[in-house]
């Protein structure tokens, strides 16, 4: 019996890590309590502060809403280089987040990063800059969800980040359903500071570099002004799958075994677990980079005989040859199989874990006193992010991407609209380009690429180009300006006016993608050398694969003003009131990089055609009232009315209460309503989005699979055509969509038994109704495979057969359905935090900070009353790219500060999950997506980081990090499709393995 390869931290090492943590040498960066926010704000604003989630300036930072504060110093203690990485590690970010690693694995919003609080997706978490909105990323997550790209945060001017773990639409409007992330920049800076940093993994790869400098002058109190300018540069190198160990570096899962059941071999034309050839499929062989041909009738295209290598001299450059045995060749299933195949491991040859990322930017801010007591500011930020990654060999024989204007073209199967004879075949004769009559011996020449031309036969061609790979680049430029003024009206009332504008432009550039019409051109005129692709000129390569470029933009303008003051005194203090108005303009223009508007062949293979264009204006009014009823009880009430130019409107109320029965205990709770308007992609897509989902056994039935010689129970032995296939889920825009509505409440307790020690527990419960979705595709897929009528509202498009003319029912290629307001989504859970900051000896302080989040329940209720539950599983599978919703996530940081030297350790915990997903047709926690080669539950993932800082002088600090000290790679998960053999959200950073960073900071 085979045994699974052991990967990761063994029990003894795990115990060692936990022992270190318990000893206080371990870990977590410090999301601190609201008190820390007060300290950070007080340094700039004196005795009054503004806490995210409220518009009232106050002296007490303890609000009814739970607020987590992450300071730059906290991130430094944990060895985290960028704000986006720090936000990705927040415990409440427990769901379908968008990480940088997704860029290299087919993400729609390539090059972007976004968080997803409470498992409610990226579009239900609002991201702000200094309390003001930011422009959406020009591409939507999965083509539907608007979000703010965390990569547009200028790291080195960030002071701290406040995360409101509660609904906040009553203050900020739409999208603030699950919570708010407010990035707060430095209000002033004097002197010169800088940083230089470099990192590399213990394997010598994954290099990262960071440089930054900030210079400022002036003092608001002494000079009446402050001005600073800051610039930075960051670079992270591409990491490929073949730079990691098994099984992250291969398509061969035969050594992944559980209870005697082993995984499949997904190498192109690879042998099965018994060492036998599993059966020939041109669809599978076509995915390799070796070209094969088969005889075809010149008139009908009917194929006969066996495939053969087009040119044995240049065959199998990235794999190994396998000669089929006599018995294998005699198998009727292999009647068309070549005598020799090329076994190619696509993941080993081409797989990418992390893309190349380059970021640089410049920021400037000027702040000045106006009159005796007012203060004005102006700020500008410019930031560029470049992301690049390699892909698979260039595709020749395939289905075109999802269509919209014309029927889908295919060179992999015949399509009636295009004459039912469009399978990729090299003709007998070739004629000059532009020939409008039939190409015959009279006006053409024998095709030099076709080995059967002399016999008067065509050559059916399969395989990808061996000398060209797909390559994608994105360049995002973000420009943001902001200005504002604030000051007193009289001794009890004050005003604040702010304005901001942000523009983003995104340039997508794709090379190595075959343009379908140009492929048909070079096949007809013989100008491309298929016998030896390396012999083609650059001009020939460029004609076949012209560079695809698309330029997208996103804009946002916001102006708001507010006044606040005291109405009268209550027993617990003054009754405070604030009110304001706001105007906002939002627009996205993202044209298709691959539309079929000019015809089914006037486009590329494999590039998604999604496009969207829309704009809207939002007019808002808001107010808040804070009433300290008595010293121990405070009530906060707020509300906001938003009116959209498209006719949607909404009122969002919120009420919060905090009770302090004794000095050491604070009880808090909130109730609120919120909303999310349809995204531009959901309501205004001009070309629908299609996401691809890997097939799993729950979609099929034994009757259907019997024709392919397997069953649901033996799904891993099905042909690759079935087990490794995927279907496109096409979502059609609906301009009649209504806003999603939400109801949420929180209840919590904060205990501070002594100075420097605090603990808190908060419960949250969110219910979102009228959730925008496409109907679950599972019933349509199951109906198709069962031979039943397709349910209303769906359109199922079948794929080409496993081989030309094969009579067996094909797999599904696309399922189309429109967006609707239908579902009810519920999320509830608990947040835990603990902080300790105490002296342990003379000159030594111990700081400990713990943050954890536990999802009690995450589910979707459908109009028919049925419920899908996702927490602790791989669901919502489609929404999360198969990364799922683990129930637990947490971090714990401990620091020993000796004055001139500080040692910090961080333990990072990401819970395991069951290999099931109810939205894929399984039961709840029934291992329904598991082929038996994995345990039912993917393991918890625990990593441990160390950071040491040495204060060489008052102005110079040297630091060194060792991340993932025990070199624990992520748990094996061959089901998720956002990364290869591991979960990209659970193990996105851990896949680097043990990682070292060194750096220096100076301040003059």
């Amino acid at each position: 019996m085979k045994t699974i390869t052991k990967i990761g931290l063994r029990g003894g090492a795990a115990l060692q890590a936990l022992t270190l943590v318990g000893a206080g040498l371990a870990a977590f960066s410090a999301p601190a309590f609201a008190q820390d926010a007060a300290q950070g704000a007080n340094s700039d604003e004196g005795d009054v502060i503004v806490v995210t989630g409220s518009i009232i300036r106050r002296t007490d930072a303890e609000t009814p809403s739970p607020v987590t504060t992450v300071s730059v110093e906290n991130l430094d203690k944990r060895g985290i280089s960028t704000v986006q990485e720090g936000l990705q590690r927040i415990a409440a970010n427990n769901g379908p987040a968008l990480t940088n690693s997704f860029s290299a694995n087919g993400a729609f919003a390539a090059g972007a990063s976004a968080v997803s609080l409470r498992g409610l997706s990226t579009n239900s978490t609002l991201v702000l800059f200094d309390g003001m909105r930011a422009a959406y990323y020009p591409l939507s997550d999965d083509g539907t969800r608007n979000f703010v790209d965390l990569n547009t945060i200028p790291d080195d001017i960030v002071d701290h980040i406040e995360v409101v773990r509660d609904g906040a639409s009553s203050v900020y409007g739409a999208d603030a359903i699950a919570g708010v992330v407010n990035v707060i920049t430095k209000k002033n800076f004097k002197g010169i500071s800088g940083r230089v940093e470099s990192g590399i993994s213990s394997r010598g790869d994954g290099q990262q570099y960071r440089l930054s400098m900030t210079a400022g002058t002036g003092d608001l109190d002494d000079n009446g002004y402050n001005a600073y300018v800051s610039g930075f540069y960051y670079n992270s190198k591409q990491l490929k799958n073949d730079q990691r160990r098994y099984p992250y570096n291969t398509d061969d899962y035969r050594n992944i075994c559980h209870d005697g059941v082993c995984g499949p071999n997904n190498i192109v034309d690879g042998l099965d677990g018994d060492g036998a050839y599993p059966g020939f499929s041109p669809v599978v062989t076509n995915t390799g980079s070796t070209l094969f041909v088969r005889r075809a009738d010149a008139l009908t295209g009917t194929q006969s005989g066996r495939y053969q290598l087009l040119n044995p001299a240049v065959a199998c450059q990235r794999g190994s040859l396998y000669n089929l045995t006599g018995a294998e060749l005699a198998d009727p299933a292999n009647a068309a199989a070549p005598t020799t195949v090329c076994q190619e491991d696509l993941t080993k040859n081409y797989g990418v874990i992390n893309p190349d990322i380059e970021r640089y930017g410049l920021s400037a801010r000027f702040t000045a006193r106006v009159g005796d007591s007012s203060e004005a500011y102006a700020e500008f930020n410019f930031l560029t992010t470049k992301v690049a990654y390699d892909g698979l060999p260039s595709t020749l024989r395939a289905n075109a991407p999802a269509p919209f204007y014309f029927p889908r073209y295919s060179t992999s199967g015949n399509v009636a609209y295009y004459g039912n004879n469009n399978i990729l075949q090299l003709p007998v004769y070739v004629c000059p380009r532009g020939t409008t009559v039939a190409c015959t011996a009279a006006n053409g020449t024998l095709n030099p690429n076709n080995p059967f031309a002399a016999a008067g036969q065509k050559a059916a061609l399969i395989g990808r180009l061996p000398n060209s790979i797909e390559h994608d680049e994105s360049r995002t430029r973000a420009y943001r300006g902001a200005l504002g003024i604030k000051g007193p009206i009289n001794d009890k009332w004050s005003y604040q006016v702010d304005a901001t504008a942000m523009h983003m432009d995104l340039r997508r550039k794709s090379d190595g993608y075959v343009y379908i019409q140009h492929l048909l051109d070079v096949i007809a005129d013989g100008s491309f050398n298929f016998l030896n692709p390396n012999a083609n000129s650059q001009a020939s390569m460029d004609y076949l694969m012209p560079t695809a470029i698309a330029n997208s933009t996103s804009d946002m303008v916001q102006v708001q003003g507010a006044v606040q003051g005291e109405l009268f005194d209550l027993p617990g203090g003054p009754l405070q009131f604030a009110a304001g108005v706001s105007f906002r303009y939002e627009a996205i223009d993202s044209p298709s990089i691959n539309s079929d508007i000019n015809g089914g062949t006037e486009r590329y293979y494999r590039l998604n055609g999604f496009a969207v264009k829309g704009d809207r204006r939002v007019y808002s009014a808001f107010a808040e009232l804070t009433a300290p009823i008595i010293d121990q009880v405070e009530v906060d009430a707020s509300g906001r009315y938003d009116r959209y130019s498209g006719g949607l409107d909404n009122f969002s109320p919120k009420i919060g209460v905090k009770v302090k029965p004794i000095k050491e205990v604070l009880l808090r709770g909130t109730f609120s309503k919120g909303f999310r308007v349809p995204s531009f992609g959901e309501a205004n897509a001009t070309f629908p989005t299609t996401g691809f989902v890997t097939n799993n056994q729950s979609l099929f039935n034994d009757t259907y699979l019997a024709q392919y010689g397997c069953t649901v129970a033996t799904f891993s032995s099905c042909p690759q055509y079935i087990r490794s296939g995927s279907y496109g889920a096409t979502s059609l825009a609906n301009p009649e969509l209504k806003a999603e509505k939400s109801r949420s409440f929180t209840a919590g307790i904060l205990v501070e038994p002594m100075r420097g020690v605090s603990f808190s527990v908060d419960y949250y419960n969110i219910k979102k109704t009228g959730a925008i979705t496409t109907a679950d595709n599972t019933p349509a897929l199951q109906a198709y495979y069962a031979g039943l009528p397709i349910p209303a509202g769906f359109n199922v498009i079948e794929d080409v057969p496993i081989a030309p003319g094969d009579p067996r029912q094909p797999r599904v290629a696309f399922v189309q359905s429109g967006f609707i307001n239908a579902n009810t989504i519920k999320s509830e859970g608990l947040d835990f935090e603990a902080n300790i900051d105490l002296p342990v000896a003379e000159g030594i302080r111990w700081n400990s900070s713990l943050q954890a989040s536990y999802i009690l329940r995450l589910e979707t209720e459908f109009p028919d009353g049925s419920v899908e539950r996702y927490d602790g599983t791989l669901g919502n599978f489609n929404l999360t790219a198969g990364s799922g919703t683990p129930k637990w996530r947490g971090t714990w940081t401990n620091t020993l500060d000796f004055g001139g030297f500080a040692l910090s350790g961080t333990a990072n915990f990401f819970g395991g999950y069951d290999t099931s997903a109810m939205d894929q047709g399984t039961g709840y926690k029934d291992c329904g997506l598991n082929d038996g080669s994995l345990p039912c539950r993917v393991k918890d993932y625990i990593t441990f980081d160390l950071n040491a800082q040495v204060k060489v002088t008052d102005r110079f600090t040297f630091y060194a990090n060792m991340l993932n000290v025990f070199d624990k790679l992520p748990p094996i998960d061959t089901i998720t499709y956002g990364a290869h053999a591991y979960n990209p959200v659970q193990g996105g950073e851990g896949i680097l393995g043990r990682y070292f960073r060194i750096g220096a900071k100076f301040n003059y």
Side-chain angles (χ1 to χ4, degrees):
M1 183 182 74
K2 296 181 180 178
T3 57
I4 189 168
T5 300
K6 297 295 184 182
I7 296 178
L9 193 68
R10 296 182 183 273
L15 180 61
Q16 180 184 4
L18 293 175
T19 302
L20 287 171
V21 171
L25 295 178
F28 159 66
S29 106
F33 291 96
Q35 290 91 322
D36 295 329
Q39 294 167 5
N42 283 340
S43 63
D44 290 330
E45 299 188 32
D47 295 329
V48 293
I49 62 171
V50 177
V51 178
T52 302
S54 172
I55 57 174
I56 290 181
R57 303 169 67 82
R58 62 188 75 216
T59 58
D60 180 3
E62 297 170 342
T63 67
S65 294
V67 179
T68 293
T69 299
V70 183
S71 69
V72 173
E73 290 75 16
N74 298 150
L75 298 181
D76 281 345
K77 288 179 182 179
R78 296 175 62 189
I80 294 175
S81 289
T82 65
V83 172
Q84 77 85 19
E85 181 185 345
L87 291 173
Q88 288 289 358
R89 296 198 190 188
I90 292 174
N93 181 34
N94 198 357
L98 181 64
T99 65
N100 283 328
S101 63
F102 273 117
S103 294
N105 288 279
F108 279 84
S113 175
V115 292
S116 170
L117 303 182
R118 309 305 191 201
L120 292 180
S121 83
T122 54
N123 61 10
S124 293
T125 299
L126 179 62
V127 176
L128 305 172
F129 288 86
D130 291 323
M132 299 287 281
R133 294 228 175 197
Y136 292 128
Y137 190 69
L139 291 182
S140 304
D141 182 13
D142 275 351
T144 61
R145 294 180 291 278
N146 293 141
F147 66 93
V148 172
D149 179 17
L150 301 180
N151 286 320
T152 59
I153 298 173
D155 298 311
D156 287 275
I157 67 166
V158 173
D159 182 78
H160 64 283
I161 305 103
E162 293 179 354
V163 181
V164 180
R165 297 175 281 114
D166 182 18
S169 288
S170 65
V171 174
Y172 301 113
D175 306 336
I177 290 176
V180 176
V181 174
N182 188 14
V183 179
I184 299 172
T185 60
K186 296 173 182 177
K187 300 300 181 288
N188 59 75
F189 180 84
K190 187 175 182 181
I192 299 176
S193 70
R195 177 194 299 258
V196 57
E197 178 183 287
S198 180
I200 193 170
S201 80
S202 60
R203 295 163 178 81
D205 51 34
Q207 296 91 336
Q208 295 179 2
Y209 310 96
R210 179 184 179 190
L211 298 168
S212 65
M213 181 174 287
T214 303
T217 184
D219 183 274
L220 279 176
D221 294 327
D222 296 338
N223 309 113
Y225 77 93
N226 177 264
Y228 70 79
V229 62
S230 179
F232 79 95
Y233 176 85
Y234 171 84
N235 185 276
S236 176
K237 298 299 183 182
Q238 179 173 272
L239 181 68
K240 306 197 74 173
N241 285 85
D242 67 352
Q243 295 174 282
R244 287 299 173 266
R245 67 190 184 209
Y246 185 86
Y248 313 107
N249 62 353
T250 181
D251 291 321
D252 186 355
Y253 292 157
R254 288 177 296 176
N255 290 324
I256 299 178
C257 307
H258 177 70
D259 290 342
V261 178
C262 298
N265 183 3
N266 293 322
I267 289 176
V268 177
D269 282 315
L271 305 183
D272 63 22
D274 297 322
Y277 186 70
F280 176 73
S281 166
V283 174
V284 173
T285 304
N286 180 62
T287 61
S289 62
T290 296
L291 297 177
F292 292 83
V293 289
R294 187 186 187 198
R295 297 176 184 272
D297 185 271
L299 295 177
T300 66
T302 302
Q303 300 178 26
S304 61
R306 294 187 179 277
Y307 280 93
Q308 65 183 51
L309 292 167
L310 176 59
N311 185 352
V314 297
C316 211
Q317 299 178 25
R318 300 297 302 274
S320 58
L321 293 172
Y322 174 76
N323 297 315
L324 275 68
T325 66
E328 289 167 343
L329 290 172
D331 186 341
N334 295 326
T339 58
T340 300
V341 295
C342 180
Q343 297 176 332
E344 184 171 2
D345 192 330
L346 298 178
T347 293
K348 182 176 180 61
N349 289 342
Y350 312 106
V352 176
I353 292 175
N354 286 329
D356 271 318
I357 301 176
E358 183 183 40
R359 300 172 61 224
Y360 53 88
L362 182 70
S363 298
R365 182 182 173 103
F366 179 79
T367 308
R369 295 289 186 192
V370 178
D372 294 333
S373 51
S374 292
E375 181 180 301
Y377 73 92
E379 182 176 348
F380 174 77
N381 313 110
F382 167 76
L383 192 144
T384 293
T385 299
K386 297 179 180 179
V387 177
Y389 56 95
D390 297 323
L392 293 169
S394 302
T395 295
L396 295 172
R397 180 183 186 269
N399 301 320
F404 187 61
Y405 297 101
F406 289 87
R408 183 187 58 162
Y409 190 82
S410 175
T411 53
S412 184
N414 289 322
V415 180
Y417 182 86
Y418 299 103
N420 248 344
N421 190 16
N422 47 283
I423 292 177
L424 186 63
Q425 296 180 349
L426 303 174
V428 175
Y429 297 100
V430 292
C431 289
R433 192 171 304 165
T435 300
T436 57
V437 296
C439 187
T440 66
N443 62 347
T445 59
L446 285 177
N447 189 347
N449 289 306
N450 180 359
F452 315 123
Q457 294 176 307
K458 292 182 179 180
L461 181 69
I462 61 173
R464 289 170 164 158
L465 282 178
N467 64 325
S468 173
I469 62 171
E470 298 162 349
H471 179 80
D472 294 275
E473 298 178 6
S474 67
R475 184 208 62 200
T476 306
R477 294 185 299 200
Y479 308 82
R480 178 181 178 269
L483 52 87
I485 186 170
K486 63 182 179 181
I489 298 174
N490 55 37
D491 59 348
K492 289 189 176 183
W493 287 82
S494 63
Y495 70 93
Q496 181 166 345
V497 178
D498 297 280
T500 185
M502 186 171 179
H503 171 80
M504 294 184 68
D505 63 68
L506 168 66
R507 181 178 186 265
R508 289 176 288 158
K509 178 174 175 285
S510 296
D511 291 299
Y513 290 85
V514 170
Y515 195 80
I516 300 173
Q517 184 57 54
H518 290 191
L519 172 64
L520 302 181
D521 291 344
V522 300
I523 285 176
D525 64 20
S527 61
F528 191 89
N529 189 339
F530 289 98
L531 282 171
N532 183 10
N534 292 311
N536 285 289
S537 67
Q538 189 60 50
S540 295
M541 298 289 287
D542 291 343
Y543 182 78
L544 178 61
M545 296 166 287
T547 299
I549 294 177
N551 294 295
S552 305
T553 61
S554 175
D555 293 279
M556 194 283 308
V557 177
Q558 183 181 11
V559 180
Q560 71 178 29
V563 296
Q564 79 142 64
E566 301 175 5
L567 297 177
F568 52 83
D569 288 335
L570 295 173
L575 177 67
Q576 297 185 80
F577 176 76
V581 294
S582 174
F583 167 79
R584 186 170 80 252
Y585 170 79
E586 299 171 338
I588 287 181
D589 185 1
S590 183
S592 175
I593 198 172
N594 197 27
S595 175
D596 65 345
I597 192 169
N598 294 317
T601 64
E602 297 292 343
R603 59 194 315 224
Y604 296 85
Y605 286 129
R606 289 176 46 79
L607 288 177
N608 200 297
F610 173 72
V612 63
K613 184 174 183 178
D615 64 84
R616 58 195 178 204
R617 292 161 178 78
V618 189
Y619 306 87
S620 309
F622 49 90
E624 183 177 0
L625 191 71
T626 298
I629 308 300
I630 56 176
D631 289 340
Q632 295 79 17
V633 179
E634 179 182 295
V635 177
D636 187 279
S638 57
R640 181 183 178 109
Y641 176 77
D642 294 277
R643 176 73 179 181
Y644 283 76
S645 53
L648 294 176
D649 65 346
N650 190 79
F651 176 71
S652 306
K654 181 175 183 178
I655 188 166
V657 179
K658 69 174 186 179
V659 179
K660 205 165 188 177
I662 58 176
K663 180 180 178 182
E664 295 79 10
V665 176
L666 173 70
L667 305 175
R668 59 192 178 197
T670 64
F671 175 88
S672 64
K673 292 187 176 183
F675 73 110
R676 183 186 75 83
V677 296
S679 71
F680 289 114
E682 291 163 338
N684 303 101
T686 55
F687 196 103
T689 175
T690 299
F692 288 86
V693 182
T694 303
N695 289 335
N696 63 80
Q697 62 265 39
S698 66
L699 301 177
F700 301 94
N701 57 77
D702 287 345
T703 301
Y704 175 85
L705 292 178
Q707 62 183 331
Y708 291 99
C710 56
T711 66
V712 172
T714 61
F715 188 73
S716 62
S717 67
C718 290
Q720 278 187 265
Y721 173 81
I722 296 295
R723 72 171 187 267
S724 299
S726 63
Y727 67 89
T730 300
S731 304
L732 306 177
N734 180 1
E736 302 302 319
L737 289 170
K738 305 300 182 185
E740 297 179 344
K741 300 298 181 72
S742 70
R743 180 276 301 150
S744 66
F745 61 84
T746 65
I749 180 172
L750 171 65
V751 180
E752 297 179 287
M754 57 183 290
R755 184 178 179 85
V757 178
S758 62
F759 309 93
S760 72
V761 179
D762 289 279
Y763 168 79
Y764 67 87
N765 186 302
I766 304 170
K767 180 180 180 181
K768 187 159 64 169
T769 56
I772 298 171
T773 182
T774 53
D776 182 5
N777 290 326
T778 302
L781 291 163
Q782 291 177 336
Y784 172 85
Y785 288 121
L788 300 174
I790 304 302
F794 296 94
N795 181 35
V796 174
I797 302 173
E798 66 179 25
D799 208 339
V800 298
I802 190 172
D806 193 294
R808 289 174 288 185
Q809 184 181 6
R811 64 191 181 187
V812 170
F814 297 98
V815 181
Q816 298 176 331
S817 59
F819 287 108
I820 55 174
N821 292 97
N823 300 340
T824 297
I825 301 175
K826 299 177 183 178
S827 177
E828 63 173 324
L830 297 168
D831 292 329
F832 305 89
E833 290 195 1
N835 272 355
I836 300 174
D837 186 5
L838 296 172
V840 294
E842 185 175 353
I844 304 175
R845 295 193 69 84
W846 172 43
N847 178 274
S848 181
S849 184
L850 169 72
Q851 183 193 49
S853 184
Y854 178 72
I855 295 181
L856 291 168
R857 196 174 187 93
L858 178 65
E859 65 183 26
T860 298
E861 181 179 340
F862 297 93
D864 64 0
S866 61
V867 174
E868 290 179 353
R869 186 173 175 182
Y870 310 128
D871 54 284
T873 75
L874 281 168
N876 185 324
F877 196 81
N878 295 346
L879 185 65
T880 66
S883 61
T885 312
K887 293 179 80 70
W888 276 105
R889 188 170 188 182
T891 48
W892 186 21
T893 295
N894 288 268
T895 301
L896 288 176
D897 191 338
F898 299 89
F901 172 74
L903 179 66
S904 299
T906 300
N908 307 286
F909 180 87
F910 202 109
Y913 46 86
D914 187 272
T915 53
S916 61
M918 293 187 71
D919 62 310
Q920 296 299 295
T922 76
Y924 180 64
K925 291 189 174 182
D926 68 350
C927 307
L929 299 182
N930 199 328
D931 63 4
S933 64
L934 298 173
C936 277
R937 187 177 185 275
V938 173
K939 295 179 180 179
D940 300 333
Y941 187 42
I942 304 172
T943 59
F944 180 72
D945 308 329
L946 280 176
N947 176 66
Q949 297 193 44
V950 179
K951 196 172 185 180
V952 181
T953 69
D954 288 342
R955 301 184 182 279
F956 183 84
T957 300
F958 175 82
Y959 61 91
N961 308 319
M962 185 190 301
L963 308 179
N964 200 347
V965 172
F966 300 106
D967 198 28
K968 185 176 182 181
L969 296 188
I972 297 171
D973 179 355
T974 57
I975 302 170
T976 181
Y977 63 94
H980 187 77
Y982 71 96
N983 188 315
V985 176
Q986 184 190 50
E989 300 296 331
I991 193 64
L992 292 170
R994 185 181 296 115
Y995 198 87
F996 302 97
R997 287 198 189 106
I998 59 171
K1001 298 181 290 184
F1002 64 87
N1003 190 355
Y1004 292 95

